[in-house]
Amino acid sequence: MQARDLDRTRRWIEAERQRAAEEAARRPLPPPPDWVIAYQRTGRGPTPQGVHVGGCSMTPGLPKAITRDQALRALAGGIPACDFCRPDRELQVLE
């Protein structure tokens, strides 16, 4: 009796996982943020690695979304701009 109940529960769980995966596949992806900052893990904690345009394929790890003002302050504070997506050009920051 318990084995039958367990089997039925496992089938139900698998059906729910499949339903949830199908539903998630139908939802559109959210748009990327306008600006992101990537961090590098160090012994002293996360260290800013660079500023990127949102959706940049060269952004490592899990970047954090930032506002335009935060991106400008990060660039002015010495955090480098990505050489690939060039957020400094997009933000019209003179070099």
Side-chain angles (χ1 to χ4, degrees):
M1 183 80 130
Q2 288 179 338
R4 196 172 34 211
D5 288 343
L6 181 59
D7 187 48
R8 185 175 62 223
T9 301
R10 287 181 176 151
R11 285 194 313 267
W12 177 80
I13 289 171
E14 184 56 35
E16 283 300 305
R17 283 186 182 151
Q18 188 173 16
R19 184 193 61 76
E22 289 170 357
E23 183 180 317
R26 287 192 300 265
R27 280 188 239 131
L29 293 175
D34 291 335
W35 315 104
V36 296
I37 190 164
Y39 289 90
Q40 181 178 13
R41 291 182 182 175
T42 65
R44 291 171 272 131
T47 304
Q49 177 271 336
V51 178
H52 298 262
V53 173
C56 174
S57 61
M58 300 302 284
T59 307
L62 295 173
K64 178 184 174 193
I66 57 175
T67 65
R68 183 179 196 284
D69 288 338
Q70 289 171 320
L72 288 168
R73 283 195 303 272
L75 292 171
I79 298 173
C82 172
D83 291 332
F84 183 73
C85 66
R86 299 305 307 255
D88 48 349
R89 287 185 187 162
E90 292 286 324
L91 291 164
Q92 299 177 349
V93 175
L94 298 176
E95 296 181 14

